[in-house]
Amino acid sequence: MTATDASSGFSIQRDGASAEYFDAAAEGSLLIRRCPVCGDLYPPEQRRCRDSDALESVPAAGTGKLVTWAADPLVVAPELTAPDGQRSVFGIVELDEGPWLQAPILGCSPDDLAADARMTVCFVRPGGGEAIAAFTLA
């Protein structure tokens, strides 16, 4: 399944490997991956651990701290636009569980952000398609 915002070309594609993640996101839950052998935690896109070929999905609290961020001068989708309407902000958030996630940062401009700022997950549907994780200042 592909969801595309016709005005921007932004698209999200679901496949068999990502269906569980997108189903949980649609329900407002963030899933990350855990190795059943060693217990290490990984971001949702991770497919394997050095100790095991099979990772399982587990819920994350959805809180963390901002590691870094950047403003994209292109508005990739209206739902991802900064308050100034001129750009989109993306960042890397270190979840309290440990994995780092790349995600849109909503509701603030880059000048509002600082390293280690507390973040909370929210979910947005760019172009009306699949729900994806984004973050806001806590």
Side-chain angles (χ1 to χ4, degrees):
M1 178 175 171
T2 303
T4 303
D5 179 338
S7 64
S8 68
F10 184 82
S11 70
I12 299 167
Q13 295 185 350
R14 169 191 287 256
D15 61 16
S18 63
E20 183 179 26
Y21 172 83
F22 286 122
D23 289 345
E27 298 288 324
S29 179
L30 178 63
L31 294 181
I32 57 175
R33 309 283 283 166
R34 178 176 62 204
C35 176
V37 174
C38 68
D40 285 352
L41 295 169
Y42 297 98
E45 68 274 8
Q46 187 81 24
R47 294 292 167 237
R48 53 186 303 199
C49 171
R50 67 181 176 274
D51 295 325
S52 171
D53 286 338
L55 295 179
E56 57 192 11
S57 293
V58 296
T63 54
K65 64 181 179 179
L66 186 62
V67 175
T68 190
W69 64 97
D72 187 335
L74 298 175
V75 174
V76 296
E79 298 84 358
L80 305 181
T81 304
D84 64 12
Q86 303 298 311
R87 55 196 163 174
S88 298
V89 180
F90 296 91
I92 297 176
V93 174
E94 180 179 1
L95 296 177
D96 290 339
E97 294 86 355
W100 288 19
L101 297 186
Q102 297 176 21
I105 307 298
L106 304 180
C108 56
S109 73
D111 296 336
D112 299 330
L113 300 172
D116 296 327
R118 293 297 300 163
M119 306 298 288
T120 301
V121 75
C122 61
F123 295 91
V124 61
R125 293 178 177 270
E130 297 285 357
I132 62 168
F135 286 88
T136 61
L137 287 168

